[in-house]
Amino acid sequence: MIKTSLFADQEREAKLNKLGDALRLLEQHVDFAALAAEVDLAAPRPSRERGGRPPFPTELMVRVLLIQQLFNLSDEQMEFQLLDRLSFQRFAGLRASSQIPDRTTIWTFKERLIQAGASESIFDAVNRQLAKHGYIARGGQMIDASFVQVPKQSLSKE
């Protein structure tokens, strides 16, 4: 028989933390608020004169873009994974939200960055911040993305 619990969500999150969520590590060592401010300077948000749904915060979209790049996901898969994966929801700050960025929103954000020439600078800034703390980002497949400490080199006279 499967045990049910009112606190299943908290128990699952605690186990995720114990197992070592790579996105939690990334969150500790990267200043996403500063990255979002840089993105808004380089690629200002479009005007809302014509109305429409308010855009998602830039910091959230930067986090989504980073997950997408790290795990090599398409826009469609990114939308699905944001709905499905607890670790992605936690990292993006969407655990309690009923709305997530859809594939078109993700694509539009990436296009805004590309047109402003700011897309590569985000990843460079993240890599620099990680390097300061002794980590490098290794992207790849869904099960392979990880953060590893940079090997320490010891130089001797020989």
Side-chain angles (χ1 to χ4, degrees):
M1 176 177 265
I2 296 176
K3 178 183 158 190
T4 59
S5 170
L6 290 173
F7 305 104
D9 288 344
Q10 291 91 345
E11 292 167 4
R12 233 180 260 119
E13 284 195 41
K15 188 159 187 171
L16 248 180
N17 290 337
K18 186 177 175 185
L19 291 173
D21 183 3
L23 294 175
R24 282 285 197 209
L25 183 68
L26 181 63
E27 196 166 29
Q28 292 172 356
H29 298 299
V30 176
D31 183 0
F32 286 101
L35 279 176
E38 287 180 34
V39 167
D40 283 336
L41 281 176
R45 290 171 156 237
S47 137
R48 293 206 44 228
E49 290 175 354
R50 296 173 57 195
R53 182 183 72 187
F56 285 96
T58 303
E59 181 176 342
L60 182 145
M61 294 306 296
V62 167
R63 287 172 180 259
V64 167
L65 191 61
L66 198 59
I67 294 170
Q68 186 179 25
Q69 185 71 27
L70 185 64
F71 290 91
N72 197 22
L73 299 171
S74 67
D75 295 340
E76 292 80 10
Q77 263 305 303
M78 189 66 231
E79 178 183 4
F80 177 81
Q81 293 299 332
L82 281 172
L83 286 167
D84 189 54
R85 286 192 65 169
L86 171 64
S87 60
F88 285 11
Q89 293 168 8
R90 282 191 333 173
F91 181 73
L94 295 168
R95 284 290 289 142
S97 177
S98 62
Q99 292 181 320
I100 60 136
D102 63 5
R103 62 192 77 186
T104 307
T105 303
I106 296 167
W107 180 84
T108 303
F109 182 73
K110 289 193 301 189
E111 283 298 308
R112 183 177 120 203
L113 294 178
I114 289 169
Q115 288 176 359
S119 58
E120 288 302 316
S121 63
I122 291 175
F123 301 112
D124 293 340
V126 169
N127 285 330
R128 277 193 309 275
Q129 289 185 36
L130 286 173
K132 274 197 282 186
H133 297 286
Y135 290 94
I136 56 173
R138 277 192 338 201
Q141 297 148 352
M142 188 69 127
I143 57 171
D144 188 37
S146 60
F147 293 95
V148 293
Q149 281 195 305
V150 177
K152 306 261 191 262
Q153 294 181 353
S154 54
L155 300 174
S156 63
K157 289 184 180 181
E158 292 92 35

